[in-house]
Amino acid sequence: MDSNRMELHQLIYELFKRQIMFGVHHFEDTLPTMKEASEYFFVSVDTVRKAYLKLKQEGYITLSTGVGAVVSVRYGNRAIRRNIQNFFARRRTALFDLAHSTFPLLSYAQWVSLRYAAPEILDEVEAFCTAKNSPSPYRRVQQFLLIYNSLGNDLLIRLIWQMLLFLQAPFLSYSQNRNYFNGAGPLRDMVQLCRKKDWKALWNAIELFQRQFISALRLFYNERIPKGGGEQVEFDWSIYKESSQICYSLGLKLLHEIREDSILEGTYLSAPTKIAEDNGVSLNTVRRTISILNKLGATQTVNGVGTKVLSPLESVKNRNVTHPVIQNRLLTFAQCVQILTLSCRACAQMTAVSLTKFGINAWVNQLKKVKRSGQYEFMVYTCMEFISKFSPYQALQKSYAQLLEQLFWGYPLRDMHGTRESINAFYLPYLNGLINCLEQNELLDFSLILEQLMRKELEFTVNYLKDLGIPNVSAILVFDDEDITK
């Protein structure tokens, strides 16, 4: 996949392009101003400007200081129908896959977000639902994103944003599909349930909303979109805002190799020129990557010798958590822990149910391998890795694979639970519980234990990073234990 495809400006470009091709914006219509669009999508004006400039370069709009962005192409009804059919035919598999992935990935996050939403957010959601005029699809995207603000997680917002722009926004750009969301609808019902603090009914409403959306998508395809359509377009998402941040991806790759003992503690990394050649990146990128790993405490560069991989004790002593780059990476780590906490129960249960007996046994054997290693904390990585590989839906696999990588930014936090003895004492009851549940085929209990563990991990992580003085980590919501029962 083109590395630029999922950058922020590219997603906004794609949405407006489709809106023009689908007849949402007609010839000589004016698009939202750059400032308005930046507010709709929670991005900078510069990001919107990049999208608009690309639309202009490809002939979809004109740009002028006094008038703004004006549609410069004309599509007739036949062309619009053809554009819609071609677009959705090539995304049939991906859209249904993403629709089915949305519930395990986001349903609990939505429930927690609404439960903790400020009254003014609930008022805004309700006003949106009762508006006389049907808002444009990108205004709907904005409204959905507002619901999740109470979680304090920019990374989750980014994932939701890209899912909405890939699925809901194109779906709602077809005018007849908007009728599905007109009127008071399920969102207003959810707000009312929040005001009543009827959390069980709120959960049921979220489940119902998901089923209704999938039914509407299926009906749309059956009635409007012919089968076929050529090569299918897949859903993807990018943790990083710019493809130029490749040094982070390389850093994660090297951290993964250290974790898997492909690069042993006490040994030295390959020469920068060799790393650059093996990974197809510039020497400057490698140098930036090594600088990041040094600040993390994963490595230490010795002049005239090379870059040494440090032990856990040396890592803690050499980390530099005051550096802004490291603080941002640690914040990303904490945000990933929260996303995994919110989604792991549903995702783990769905994955386990889809596995054969052989697959369950393989999961058990991996957890037993962790137990034999004496490093019980790796059970978290092992469970999330299984979800990323064996979940029944590709969008879920890809999302978990991205999140799993980000856990390696927690490398300098390996002392979070204290000594090796205290680390193992903390994790052992969870590890034994997970193994026993899988062996007894008690899959619901297995997923509940995993979620309980992740909730503790989230609490430890946020509090630990607060003590380290990491900016913005206090915004990440740590929810109460009672929330686990709905």
Side-chain angles (χ1 to χ4, degrees):
M1 169 171 279
D2 182 351
S3 61
N4 292 320
R5 208 169 135 187
M6 298 306 287
E7 289 187 17
L8 295 176
H9 75 274
Q10 182 71 17
L11 288 167
I12 296 171
Y13 156 81
E14 291 285 352
L15 176 59
F16 280 116
K17 174 183 172 181
R18 295 305 166 191
Q19 300 239 312
I20 293 169
M21 295 179 70
F22 291 0
V24 176
H25 299 295
H26 297 280
F27 178 65
E28 294 187 342
D29 282 354
T30 302
L31 298 184
T33 67
M34 293 184 189
K35 184 175 185 301
E36 289 172 338
S38 71
E39 293 172 353
Y40 295 157
F41 299 124
F42 298 91
V43 298
S44 68
V45 172
D46 285 341
T47 298
V48 177
R49 183 177 292 109
K50 287 182 181 179
Y52 277 20
L53 286 173
K54 186 167 185 179
L55 288 169
K56 178 184 177 182
Q57 290 168 0
E58 298 194 3
Y60 289 101
I61 64 172
T62 60
L63 280 173
S64 61
T65 303
V67 180
V70 178
V71 177
S72 58
V73 292
R74 190 193 305 268
Y75 289 105
N77 291 335
R78 181 177 297 180
I80 289 173
R81 285 195 299 272
R82 184 172 61 252
N83 291 339
I84 291 172
Q85 290 178 349
N86 290 341
F87 177 86
F88 284 99
R90 295 188 61 217
R91 290 161 176 80
R92 180 188 300 269
T93 301
L95 291 182
F96 277 102
D97 182 273
L98 183 56
H100 284 287
S101 299
T102 299
F103 184 77
L105 274 173
L106 300 180
S107 58
Y108 191 33
Q110 184 178 356
W111 184 85
V112 172
S113 299
L114 285 167
R115 176 167 181 164
Y116 286 92
E120 55 268 24
I121 295 296
L122 295 178
D123 291 341
E124 191 169 351
V125 173
E126 188 170 33
F128 160 81
C129 294
T130 56
K132 292 183 179 179
N133 297 324
S134 175
S136 60
Y138 39 84
R139 290 297 301 274
R140 294 183 185 279
V141 170
Q142 179 192 35
Q143 192 61 39
F144 277 117
L145 292 179
L146 282 172
I147 293 175
Y148 293 89
N149 270 351
S150 59
L151 294 174
N153 192 324
D154 293 338
L155 185 61
L156 177 63
I157 292 293
R158 180 166 171 75
L159 170 59
I160 296 168
W161 193 85
Q162 293 188 203
M163 292 174 70
L164 290 172
L165 263 64
F166 190 88
L167 175 56
Q168 280 89 343
F171 180 75
L172 294 171
S173 293
Y174 181 62
S175 58
Q176 294 187 26
N177 288 338
R178 289 179 230 165
N179 296 329
Y180 169 65
F181 291 95
N182 283 344
L187 281 177
R188 188 186 181 192
D189 292 341
M190 292 178 197
V191 171
Q192 295 299 324
L193 292 170
C194 287
R195 298 193 197 283
K196 296 176 183 177
K197 301 187 184 302
D198 191 341
W199 308 124
K200 177 64 176 177
L202 175 63
W203 178 253
N204 292 336
I206 291 171
E207 284 188 303
L208 178 61
F209 181 85
Q210 174 66 12
R211 291 197 298 270
Q212 289 176 336
F213 184 85
I214 292 176
S215 296
L217 184 65
R218 185 177 295 112
L219 185 63
F220 167 68
Y221 267 93
N222 289 340
E223 293 183 348
R224 302 289 177 180
I225 308 300
K227 292 187 177 180
E231 183 180 358
Q232 290 289 296
V233 175
E234 296 182 357
F235 169 76
D236 205 350
W237 80 294
S238 172
I239 290 284
Y240 302 119
K241 296 181 179 181
E242 302 291 342
S243 59
S244 60
Q245 294 174 306
I246 192 172
C247 61
Y248 298 146
S249 297
L250 178 57
L252 289 171
K253 179 177 181 293
L254 294 174
L255 287 172
H256 185 272
E257 291 175 359
I258 294 171
R259 155 70 174 84
E260 296 294 322
D261 291 334
S262 298
I263 305 175
L264 297 176
E265 293 172 358
T267 63
Y268 289 81
L269 298 181
S270 300
T273 51
K274 183 70 165 58
I275 296 175
E277 180 182 352
D278 290 346
N279 293 276
V281 298
S282 70
L283 187 58
N284 185 54
T285 294
V286 175
R287 288 170 177 156
R288 290 176 61 200
T289 300
I290 292 175
S291 175
I292 292 170
L293 295 181
N294 286 343
K295 292 181 178 68
L296 274 174
T299 60
Q300 183 180 42
T301 298
V302 181
N303 290 334
V305 179
T307 300
K308 180 183 177 182
V309 178
L310 300 181
S311 68
L313 182 59
E314 292 173 317
S315 176
V316 172
K317 291 179 178 179
N318 285 275
R319 69 190 181 190
N320 180 7
V321 296
T322 63
H323 194 281
V325 170
I326 303 308
Q327 291 183 340
N328 286 335
R329 301 284 65 78
L330 291 175
L331 180 61
T332 295
F333 168 76
Q335 291 173 339
C336 282
V337 171
Q338 189 201 52
I339 297 172
L340 293 170
T341 302
L342 289 163
S343 62
C344 68
R345 185 207 309 188
C347 292
Q349 186 178 6
M350 175 182 288
T351 301
V353 167
S354 70
L355 292 174
T356 63
K357 185 173 180 59
F358 177 82
I360 293 291
N361 288 339
W363 205 336
V364 171
N365 289 336
Q366 285 298 312
L367 289 173
K368 288 183 176 179
K369 182 180 178 181
V370 170
K371 191 172 182 180
R372 289 194 300 271
S373 75
Q375 296 178 304
Y376 299 166
E377 67 273 20
F378 290 154
M379 62 187 288
V380 173
Y381 181 90
T382 297
C383 288
M384 302 309 168
E385 185 179 37
F386 249 80
I387 295 171
S388 73
K389 290 182 176 179
F390 301 111
S391 163
Y393 298 111
Q394 286 190 352
L396 202 159
Q397 289 181 14
K398 290 180 178 180
S399 299
Y400 257 63
Q402 284 277 307
L403 294 169
L404 190 61
E405 283 188 355
Q406 305 308 305
L407 292 182
F408 288 109
W409 291 128
Y411 194 90
L413 308 182
R414 289 184 290 175
D415 65 328
M416 186 166 63
H417 294 294
T419 64
R420 169 51 54 195
E421 290 74 17
S422 59
I423 291 173
N424 285 354
F426 169 76
Y427 283 103
L428 183 58
Y430 295 104
L431 181 55
N432 286 335
L434 292 176
I435 292 173
N436 291 337
C437 286
L438 285 178
E439 289 181 330
Q440 299 299 320
N441 204 38
E442 297 171 348
L443 304 184
L444 174 58
D445 289 343
F446 169 80
S447 63
L448 287 171
I449 291 173
L450 181 60
E451 184 186 54
Q452 288 172 339
L453 168 61
M454 290 306 300
R455 292 163 78 86
K456 289 294 184 183
E457 287 287 275
L458 176 61
E459 181 181 359
F460 269 115
T461 299
V462 171
N463 289 335
Y464 191 85
L465 293 182
K466 283 181 183 177
D467 291 341
L468 291 178
I470 304 302
N472 302 320
V473 74
S474 298
I476 297 176
L477 179 67
V478 178
F479 30 99
D480 297 332
D481 286 338
E482 62 178 345
D483 290 352
I484 199 169
T485 58
K486 296 191 265 292

